[in-house]
Amino acid sequence: MQITDVKTTVLSMPHLSGIQDATIRHLEQGRTQCFVHIVTDEGLEGLGTGGGARAAREIIEGSLKPILIGQDPLNIEQLWDDMFWRIRGVGRKGLAFCALSAVDIALWDLKAKYYQTPLYKLLGPYTDTVPVYGSGGWTHFSIDELIAEQASYVERGMKSVKMKVGKDFGQSESEDIARLSAVRKALGDDVEILVDANNGYYAKQAIRMAQAFEEYNIGWFEEPVLADDIEGLAAIARATAIPIATGEHEYTKYGFKDLIARGGADIVQPDVGRVGGITEWMKVAHLAHAFNLPVAPHAYQLIHLHLSCATPNLRIVEYLGMVEEADRITYTEFSEPVNGVWSPNPDKPGLGLELNPEAVKQYAV
Ligand code: MG
């Protein structure tokens, strides 16, 4: 089998709900996403997606496509290595790695389709059912909106929810605690609450906030400080009994090696659309396993569902309502979590995802 073409589709849906967190200073409205199609001479196609929106398209079509054409798409390690060295000067972290990630995901989707099996079965499943948590709790929500959104996940049967803290770049500490307190009061003691500061505090401030959060029995404290402040993360991790979760802004096994070995993460959060695709995500999950650390993937829930089924050290899968809102428009269909757990469709090969032609017609740019 040979790759005959690499195409992209960018869908822009500016009408979708806005998001704001500790360090998104202005409400971010809508969603734009880049999809990759790996086309082969046997009629099979792989579908992938990653970060970087429209800018990723330039790297995929300009830098990666020329080295993929004519190659056997089943040789994923070799193609990954080729792509890594092709983008070495502009990649390794950031946008170029988002582009590589999208291609790698499409290669895995294609490979599973070639073997006529769902992706999680190709990866070697540990389980076919994983727990999920409802994720949102944006800082621009009023307290009533915040409670309603977090409660909506519990009403769907989820036993864990995540809300934002670090409001206004960490400048609204008492509001953070009041919002957490209100959510805890509304949801009761049986729901696990996770908090995410999206890089918004400083280390000493985060240690102080962790002490305040302890009263509300939270499951983890995510990205308390700048993702690059590994010393700060490690100091916070040592100072509190609350597990420190981080990794959504980290790239490659090399980045995660530094983060983990220096004690910066109690819970490891790779993002398949950034870290280097499925190839690299699985390596990071194994690396975390070697350090006896749990993995809790960030975003890209429909892809992480499959990878998580093949991860013995999985903690829980993030399920973002704002991503689901886009997915309902983007794809023809997908399996949904029921009572807080989620299973891939065992009858659909690959990721089991197809772009909705109506959405492509309406939103492609
Ligand atoms: Mg986060």
Side-chain angles (χ1 to χ4, degrees):
M1 186 164 49
Q2 278 193 0
I3 299 172
T4 53
D5 203 359
V6 178
K7 298 194 250 187
T8 56
T9 302
V10 174
L11 299 185
S12 180
M13 298 181 274
H15 65 287
L16 296 190
S17 310
I19 58 168
Q20 193 166 11
D21 63 25
T23 51
I24 297 175
R25 288 182 202 259
H26 310 284
L27 187 70
E28 257 179 37
Q29 194 75 41
R31 189 168 165 85
T32 302
Q33 198 171 354
C34 180
F35 299 86
V36 184
H37 315 269
I38 307 275
V39 184
T40 65
D41 59 356
E42 295 194 12
L44 279 177
E45 258 193 56
L47 176 68
T49 185
R54 290 176 216 223
R57 162 182 269 173
E58 292 300 315
I59 296 168
I60 292 164
E61 295 191 356
S63 300
L64 302 180
K65 176 178 169 177
I67 60 171
L68 294 166
I69 301 286
Q71 301 292 322
D72 182 343
L74 301 182
N75 298 341
I76 298 179
E77 282 287 347
Q78 184 206 330
L79 297 177
W80 195 99
D81 201 59
D82 275 356
M83 292 192 286
F84 178 84
W85 290 107
R86 177 68 183 79
I87 60 170
R88 68 175 194 198
V90 294
R92 300 182 58 243
K93 294 197 179 193
L95 178 59
F97 238 79
C98 295
L100 180 154
S101 297
V103 171
D104 180 85
I105 292 166
L107 289 170
W108 277 99
D109 178 55
L110 176 66
K111 188 168 192 169
K113 284 173 177 159
Y114 179 79
Y115 289 110
Q116 296 176 11
T117 184
L119 178 64
Y120 76 102
K121 289 193 179 174
L122 178 68
L123 292 170
Y126 170 77
T127 178
D128 57 10
T129 305
V130 291
V132 302
Y133 69 91
S135 186
W138 308 101
T139 55
H140 67 285
F141 286 168
S142 69
I143 290 220
D144 285 347
E145 289 169 335
L146 173 66
I147 290 171
E149 189 242 15
Q150 299 275 287
S152 72
Y153 294 123
V154 178
E155 281 154 21
R156 288 175 72 171
M158 298 181 197
K159 288 154 191 71
S160 301
V161 294
K162 188 167 84 189
M163 59 173 283
K164 302 301 188 184
V165 292
K167 194 169 182 292
D168 307 316
F169 242 106
Q171 296 303 299
S172 303
E173 294 180 6
S174 53
E175 219 184 320
D176 288 339
I177 293 164
R179 291 165 72 86
L180 173 58
S181 170
V183 172
R184 172 54 80 205
K185 198 170 162 208
L187 301 187
D189 290 337
D190 295 336
V191 175
E192 179 181 56
I193 300 176
L194 314 167
V195 296
D196 185 356
N198 293 91
N199 299 234
Y201 297 127
Y202 289 101
K204 279 283 164 71
Q205 182 187 20
I207 290 170
R208 202 157 34 73
M209 294 306 285
Q211 285 165 354
F213 295 157
E214 274 172 16
E215 181 183 331
Y216 301 97
N217 190 25
I218 65 170
W220 77 54
F221 187 2
E222 180 170 326
E223 288 201 305
V225 292
L226 179 70
D228 299 290
D229 181 6
I230 297 179
E231 271 66 37
L233 289 163
I236 302 159
R238 284 192 300 271
T240 175
I242 300 171
I244 299 305
T246 190
E248 68 180 74
H249 289 105
E250 195 49 82
Y251 293 81
T252 76
K253 53 189 164 289
Y254 309 114
F256 276 93
K257 178 194 70 176
D258 289 343
L259 176 65
I260 293 172
R262 288 156 73 187
D266 298 311
I267 294 171
V268 179
Q269 298 184 293
D271 176 320
V272 72
R274 293 176 182 159
V275 71
I278 292 167
T279 303
E280 203 72 343
W281 192 100
M282 293 305 298
K283 289 177 184 177
V284 168
H286 296 159
L287 177 69
H289 205 177
F291 282 85
N292 198 26
L293 295 176
V295 166
H298 168 255
Y300 293 99
Q301 52 222 29
L302 290 169
I303 300 164
H304 286 138
L305 169 61
H306 286 266
L307 315 191
S308 297
C309 285
T311 301
N313 51 323
L314 176 82
R315 166 76 150 78
I316 195 165
V317 178
E318 178 168 42
Y319 198 84
L320 279 149
M322 58 82 102
V323 170
E324 183 186 62
E325 184 189 13
D327 288 345
R328 285 196 198 286
I329 299 169
T330 305
Y331 300 110
T332 50
E333 58 173 333
F334 53 85
S335 79
E336 290 186 33
V338 179
N339 287 328
V341 295
W342 201 12
S343 299
N345 185 333
D347 302 320
K348 289 213 156 191
L351 287 163
L353 298 174
E354 230 176 284
L355 290 186
N356 188 336
E358 287 305 309
V360 174
K361 211 185 288 175
Q362 200 172 346
Y363 300 113
V365 290

